[in-house]
């Protein structure tokens, strides 16, 4: 059978599965899909058989009992009339006694029939209705519906395992980019919440445990349209299981996994080359970047925040000085280590067992509960420049921040927020920076997967220095406003920029020549070229005289109208000609022919493919 | 012994035997074909069909298919009978009897396939044990 022929080669051979074999299997999928209907049929056996039997007995009985016609002659009503009578009686329609009024013997039998058939009928319909409301049946139906939707997805999609705060943020960002997503989560509440959210695209979602490869297969892991997997559950083990399944079954797919444990991080990293995001690790790096290069940090957070993000406020973190870190858990340790590596002295406040670890790590420790004023005073907050409230309890973090502010109002306060509902409290307290692990993961995953160029840009950006970032921010605000639209990528190939190809025959095209408004070329287009990628070399924020060459990849920022304008310049030949030369080229064939003589003497113009490179 | 199998085998066999009982005899002689036997064949066939619901094996699917064929044929035969006696009028003629009986003959073929499947299933069941 199909199960046999499709199964063994995949499960027994650890080597990569060829793409064709993966998308070809339909056998098991169809088997799962028809499960719901089989369940229904199996459970309807008893009600249906009782209905058939009760009907049969009633009909036979009625057909056998002799009746009388209008003139009193004996007559059998026959099977056909008996069936007709029983049909409308059992369904409680009741047309009356047809074809002749019944005799008493017939009526006696009909009394028995009425009660038994109506009960059998009600039982069958009741069983059917109960079955339709049955949890197992409904979930089977939901699975079937989900599988059908995933199977019909005929465009690239991302598979998201875990729809918590991180998952939701990412789904919203990618949906705003017009990307398609498939979501799995173990919690029915979260899937219900997703169904209530209005996204642009249809987002198929299923209540399922992503740890199981079967569920991942249901969610389209084997589909050729699957372009990446995000393991974002709040359970490190589950994320590891997802990475394992994907790395073994679809080694060609990019994986982004979230974890907060360095042990799991290492275990995940042994499977191929997944992108592992540990928010606690990353935050230390971000903090250092914010301390050393505030503008670079601001630009990075803005670009990572996804489409529609507002320009983050300019933070002004203190330079040098001593920092107080409250809480020496995984987060506190990572931050402390990063700060110390950068040569910043740190005082740690930690009440519990982790205090001994702090001693062995050799950091300056104040043992005790930081929310007590006395304990915090021992850290000498007046001589410190900043405080990180990094425990895993929001209430503790808030009171730490409040106590610290009372002791030294100039302290730069950084709080770690754990629960989404507490965001308003952190805002109200006016923290200088808030770390939300879920947001950090979402932003980083977005930077990795939205366009490969963005990640490259973010990697190379810090090397450009802080003044560069500040200038770029000014330019971006001036041209795109304080509200970031989606970044986009253009590759100057014959496919994406056909109109530009013959201009390349003349040599490189300057950015300032290309980035002009198609309505009025005197006006430059409000587009910022963030990066040009040529082969393996990248050029960040090329200037206006930069010479573009065929096959260059551009990372661009700008408002949607500017994007549409640039698109038409790249694709529509007359528009491109106008932008390049300022000359309105006739579009229609007739007008072209009429004006051909007039246009020809205006210098050599490359036409068609003869001189194309 | 599995009670489900007993009930299942009983109905499949009974459907075939009743069907055969109605079918056997001169095809155009109305006296040799009792309409109550046809009715019983229809009812037992319907029960056998419902018993085959929800079986996900390959052989179960073929069982269901044969039963559905038999149902279709027998209901067609019953409809033909009603037409001949009630609508066309003039009682059951030789030609009309022949068409009713031949339709039930088709159903008989499907029922025989059902029985063969039942036997095959039973034999393979023993072999695998």
């Amino acid at each position: 059978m199909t199960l046999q022929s499709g199964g063994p080669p995949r499960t027994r051979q650890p080597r990569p599965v060829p793409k064709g074999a993966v998308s070809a299997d339909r056998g098991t999928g169809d088997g799962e899909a028809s499960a719901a209907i089989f369940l229904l049929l199996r459970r309807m056996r008893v009600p249906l058989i009782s209905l058939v039997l009760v009907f049969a007995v009633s009909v036979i009985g009625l057909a056998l009992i002799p009746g009388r016609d209008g003139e009193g002659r004996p007559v059998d009503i026959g099977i056909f009339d008996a069936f007709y009578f029983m049909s409308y009686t059992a369904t409680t329609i009741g047309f009356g006694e047809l074809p002749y009024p019944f005799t008493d013997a017939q009526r006696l039998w009909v009394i028995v029939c009425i009660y038994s058939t109506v009960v059998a009928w009600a039982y069958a319909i009741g069983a059917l209705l109960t079955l339709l409301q049955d949890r197992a049946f409904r979930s089977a139906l939901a699975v079937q519906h989900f599988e059908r939707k995933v199977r019909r997805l005929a465009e690239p999609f991302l598979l998201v395992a875990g729809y918590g705060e991180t998952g939701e943020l990412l789904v919203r960002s990618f949906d705003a980019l017009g990307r398609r997503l498939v979501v799995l989560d173990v919690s029915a509440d979260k899937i219900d919440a997703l169904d209530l959210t209005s996204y642009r695209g249809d987002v198929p979602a299923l209540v399922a445990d992503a740890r199981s490869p079967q569920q991942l297969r249901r969610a389209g892991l084997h589909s050729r349209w699957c372009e990446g997997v995000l393991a974002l559950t709040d359970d490190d083990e589950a994320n590891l299981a997802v990475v394992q399944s994907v790395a073994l079954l679809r080694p060609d797919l990019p994986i982004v996994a979230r974890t907060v444990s360095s042990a799991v991080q290492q275990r995940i990293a042994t499977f191929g080359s997944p992108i592992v995001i540990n928010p606690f690790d990353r935050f230390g790096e971000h903090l250092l970047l914010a301390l050393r290069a505030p503008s670079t940090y601001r630009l990075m957070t803005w670009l990572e925040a996804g489409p529609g993000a507002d320009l983050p406020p300019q933070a002004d973190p203190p330079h040098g000085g001593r920092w107080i870190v409250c809480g020496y858990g995984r987060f506190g340790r990572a931050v402390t280590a990063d700060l110390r590596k950068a040569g910043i002295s740190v005082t740690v406040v930690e009440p519990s067992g982790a205090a001994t670890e702090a001693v062995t790590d050799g950091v300056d420790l104040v043992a005790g509960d930081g929310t007590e004023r006395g304990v915090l005073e021992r850290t000498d907050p007046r001589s410190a420049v900043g405080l990180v409230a990094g425990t895993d309890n929001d209430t503790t973090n808030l009171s730490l921040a409040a106590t610290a502010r009372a002791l030294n109002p100039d302290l730069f306060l950084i709080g770690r927020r754990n629960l989404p509902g507490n965001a308003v409290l952190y805002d109200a307290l006016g923290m200088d920076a808030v770390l939300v692990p879920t947001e950090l993961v979402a932003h980083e995953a977005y930077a990795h997967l939205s366009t490969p160029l963005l990640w490259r840009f973010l990697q190379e950006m810090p090397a450009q220095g802080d003044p560069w970032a500040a200038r770029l921010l000014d330019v971006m605000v001036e041209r795109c406003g304080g509200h970031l639209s989606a970044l986009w990528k253009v590759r100057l190939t014959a496919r994406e920029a056909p109109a530009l190809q013959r201009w390349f025959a003349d040599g490189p095209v300057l950015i300032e020549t290309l980035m002009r408004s198609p309505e009025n070329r005197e006006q430059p287009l409000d587009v910022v070229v963030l990066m040009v990628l040529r082969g393996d070399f990248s050029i960040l924020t090329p200037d206006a005289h930069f010479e573009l060459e065929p096959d260059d990849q551009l990372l661009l920022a700008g408002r949607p109208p500017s994007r549409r304008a640039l698109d038409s310049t790249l694709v529509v030949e007359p528009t491109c000609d106008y932008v390049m030369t300022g000359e309105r080229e006739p579009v229609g064939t007739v007008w072209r022919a009429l004006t051909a003589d007039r246009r020809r003497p205006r210098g050599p113009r490359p036409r068609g493919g003869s001189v194309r490179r | 012994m599995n009670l489900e199998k007993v009930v299942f085998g009983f109905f499949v066999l009974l459907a075939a035997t009743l069907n055969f009982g109605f079918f056997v005899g001169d095809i155009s002689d109305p006296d040799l074909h009792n309409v109550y036997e046809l009715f019983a064949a229809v009812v037992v066939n319907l029960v056998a069909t419902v018993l085959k619901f929800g079986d996900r094996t390959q052989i179960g699917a073929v069982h269901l298919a044969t039963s559905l064929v038999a149902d279709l044929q027998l209901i067609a035969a019953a409809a033909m009978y009603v037409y001949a006696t009630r609508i066309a009028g003039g009682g059951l003629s030789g030609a009309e009897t022949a068409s009713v009986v031949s339709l039930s003959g088709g159903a008989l073929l499907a029922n025989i396939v059902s029985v063969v499947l039942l036997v095959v299933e039973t034999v393979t069941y023993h072999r695998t044990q």
Side-chain angles (χ1 to χ4, degrees):
Chain A
M1 273 169 64
T2 45
L3 283 171
Q4 291 302 311
S5 63
R10 190 168 308 123
T11 49
R12 284 182 198 153
Q13 297 174 6
R15 66 187 164 78
V17 188
K19 269 197 162 179
V22 160
S23 57
D25 64 298
R26 296 291 301 273
T28 49
D30 283 357
E32 300 282 356
S34 54
I37 195 77
F38 275 109
L39 195 71
L40 183 88
L41 288 176
R42 182 173 276 274
R43 299 233 182 125
M44 283 305 287
R45 275 181 182 178
V46 178
L48 283 180
I49 287 177
S50 13
L51 189 66
V52 169
L53 289 181
V54 169
F55 245 76
V57 172
S58 313
V59 170
I60 278 290
L62 198 59
L64 290 177
I65 296 169
R68 249 179 248 286
D69 67 5
E71 282 108 46
R73 283 172 305 199
V75 65
D76 276 346
I77 79 164
I79 290 182
F80 174 65
D81 277 329
F83 181 67
Y84 177 55
F85 175 80
M86 283 325 302
S87 298
Y88 67 64
T89 308
T91 50
T92 72
I93 290 169
F95 284 149
E97 297 172 347
L98 296 175
Y100 309 111
F102 286 169
T103 62
D104 286 347
Q106 279 177 314
R107 285 187 180 154
L108 196 64
W109 178 244
V110 167
I111 289 173
V112 176
C113 294
I114 284 173
Y115 288 109
S116 51
T117 49
V118 169
V119 167
W121 209 209
Y123 172 45
I125 289 180
L128 188 67
L129 291 182
T130 319
L131 211 55
L132 289 181
Q133 312 217 323
D134 185 64
R135 244 184 106 73
F137 179 71
R138 289 176 78 93
S139 74
L141 220 56
V143 167
Q144 197 177 338
H145 190 59
F146 173 77
E147 279 179 338
R148 199 167 46 231
K149 281 208 276 193
V150 172
R151 212 164 42 233
R152 286 185 187 162
L153 261 182
E155 51 188 313
F157 65 88
L158 289 166
L159 202 169
V160 180
Y163 188 72
E165 209 186 344
T166 316
E168 199 184 333
L169 277 170
L170 270 174
V171 169
R172 199 179 301 138
S173 301
F174 282 121
D175 182 65
L177 286 183
R179 302 272 284 264
R180 300 302 300 270
L181 300 124
V182 172
V183 174
L184 288 180
D185 196 292
V186 278
S187 148
D189 293 346
K190 288 179 180 160
I191 298 300
D192 287 346
L194 184 145
D195 286 339
L196 290 176
T197 321
S198 58
Y199 288 118
R200 279 196 210 172
D202 182 32
V203 180
L206 183 68
V207 183
D209 190 348
R211 278 179 293 190
S212 129
Q214 277 83 19
Q215 305 290 11
L216 288 174
R217 168 198 284 273
R218 273 188 182 148
L221 178 62
H222 293 281
S223 162
R224 69 192 172 96
W225 294 110
C226 187
E227 58 172 352
V229 178
L230 296 126
L232 303 173
T233 68
D234 50 9
D235 176 359
D236 281 353
E237 286 287 329
N239 291 340
L240 176 61
V242 172
V243 171
Q244 281 177 348
S245 308
V246 177
L248 293 174
L249 298 174
R250 286 295 301 272
D252 53 315
L253 287 183
I255 316 168
V256 173
R258 155 198 173 174
T259 176
V260 289
S261 139
S262 52
V264 173
Q265 192 172 354
Q266 280 165 11
R267 281 164 71 192
I268 290 180
T270 54
F271 284 93
S273 51
I275 300 155
V276 192
I277 304 172
N278 184 338
F280 298 162
D281 257 12
R282 285 288 202 282
F283 183 69
E285 293 163 24
H286 284 203
L287 181 61
L288 286 182
L289 185 64
L291 294 181
R292 288 178 181 159
S295 294
T296 309
Y297 176 72
R298 196 174 174 212
L299 179 62
M300 184 188 79
T301 44
W302 197 25
L303 293 179
E304 275 189 350
D310 289 320
L311 178 66
Q314 175 79 55
D316 190 18
H319 298 278
R322 186 172 56 88
W323 280 73
I324 303 170
V325 175
C326 301
Y328 202 64
R330 281 181 300 215
F331 171 72
R333 289 182 82 159
V335 171
T336 309
D338 279 324
L339 285 173
R340 279 157 59 89
K341 221 182 287 171
I344 297 169
S345 64
V346 179
T347 306
V348 170
V349 184
E350 167 67 44
S352 66
T356 49
E357 287 174 22
V359 174
T360 45
D361 288 349
V363 295
D364 183 12
L365 173 81
V366 172
D369 185 354
T371 53
E372 288 170 28
R373 203 183 164 100
V375 174
L376 206 57
E377 257 173 356
R378 277 197 280 145
T379 63
D380 190 14
R382 278 169 203 88
S383 73
V385 293
L387 179 133
V388 180
T391 71
D392 56 4
N393 184 326
D394 284 346
T395 321
T396 311
N397 289 344
L398 284 167
S399 61
L400 274 170
T403 317
R405 175 158 290 168
L407 291 170
N408 178 3
D410 296 332
L411 272 182
F412 191 84
L413 290 178
I414 298 179
R416 164 183 167 192
R417 173 163 74 71
N418 300 287
L419 297 177
N422 291 332
V424 281
L425 299 179
Y426 281 74
D427 284 349
L429 191 72
M431 295 241 189
D432 296 296
V434 178
L435 162 73
V436 187
T438 50
E439 265 177 23
L440 202 147
V441 174
H443 291 170
E444 197 133 316
Y446 173 81
H448 271 290
L449 291 179
S450 63
T451 136
L453 289 186
L454 176 58
W455 183 247
R456 175 109 189 218
F457 178 80
L458 293 174
Q459 291 302 99
E460 303 192 355
M461 188 182 70
Q464 304 287 321
D466 209 38
W468 169 86
R471 272 200 310 278
L472 179 56
L473 270 173
D474 289 343
V475 172
M476 282 181 69
V477 171
E478 181 197 329
R479 297 199 193 161
C480 323
H483 194 71
L484 184 69
S485 310
L487 303 181
W488 78 98
K489 188 192 94 173
V490 168
R491 191 168 191 158
L492 302 180
T493 54
R495 207 170 148 261
E496 284 187 43
L500 205 59
Q501 294 306 308
R502 56 199 182 84
W503 291 102
F504 280 135
D506 274 356
V509 174
L510 299 188
I511 283 187
E512 63 171 352
T513 328
L514 183 63
M515 304 290 171
R516 299 203 158 267
S517 164
E519 274 93 46
N520 174 12
R521 74 185 290 269
E522 302 306 316
Q523 239 175 9
L525 210 54
D526 281 340
V527 167
V528 182
V529 185
L530 293 174
M531 184 171 76
V532 174
L533 189 68
R534 180 173 299 164
D536 223 19
F537 295 98
S538 57
I539 303 98
L540 270 63
T541 53
D543 60 14
H545 304 294
F546 183 82
E547 296 176 337
L548 294 171
E549 286 184 7
D551 216 26
D552 279 352
Q553 295 185 70
L554 274 61
L555 180 66
L556 302 156
R559 293 200 184 92
S562 315
R563 179 177 182 172
R564 283 193 293 276
L566 182 62
D567 279 351
S568 61
T569 308
L570 293 178
V571 174
V572 185
E573 290 209 0
T575 313
C576 187
D577 292 350
Y578 167 72
V579 167
M580 304 296 274
T581 63
E583 192 182 331
R584 291 275 180 200
E585 186 94 353
V587 183
T589 321
V590 176
W591 203 252
R592 256 176 211 237
L594 283 175
T595 58
D597 289 341
R598 207 158 49 78
R599 285 187 293 127
R600 194 159 291 145
R602 289 183 64 95
R605 300 269 312 270
R607 267 274 169 209
S610 53
V611 269
R612 198 176 287 171
R613 268 190 260 170
Chain B
M1 194 185 78
N2 183 346
L3 189 64
E4 190 192 344
K5 291 282 169 206
V6 174
V7 173
F8 182 73
F10 170 78
F11 274 101
V12 168
L13 261 181
L14 188 63
T17 52
L18 282 170
N19 198 337
F20 179 73
F22 177 76
F23 174 75
V24 78
D26 182 3
I27 196 164
S28 58
D29 186 351
D31 294 340
L32 300 183
H33 306 283
N34 190 331
V35 67
Y36 287 99
E37 198 160 9
L38 178 61
F39 178 77
V42 172
V43 170
V44 174
N45 258 291
L46 283 177
V47 173
T49 310
V50 176
L51 280 175
K52 292 168 183 177
F53 277 179
D55 189 341
R56 297 188 63 179
T57 58
Q58 175 76 19
I59 211 156
V62 182
H63 256 307
L64 185 60
T66 56
S67 256
L68 287 173
V69 169
D71 287 343
L72 200 68
Q73 293 257 358
L74 284 173
I75 290 170
M80 185 63 213
Y81 176 83
V82 169
Y83 176 82
T85 53
R86 304 298 295 266
I87 300 166
L92 214 53
S93 73
E96 285 160 348
T97 313
S99 59
V100 171
V101 175
S102 66
L103 276 169
S104 80
L108 179 63
L109 196 63
N111 270 320
I112 290 172
V113 173
S114 262
V115 174
V116 170
L117 283 177
L118 187 71
V119 173
V120 168
E121 207 182 355
T122 316
V123 171
T124 48
Y125 180 69
H126 273 288
R127 197 172 288 162
T128 49
Q129 274 206 329

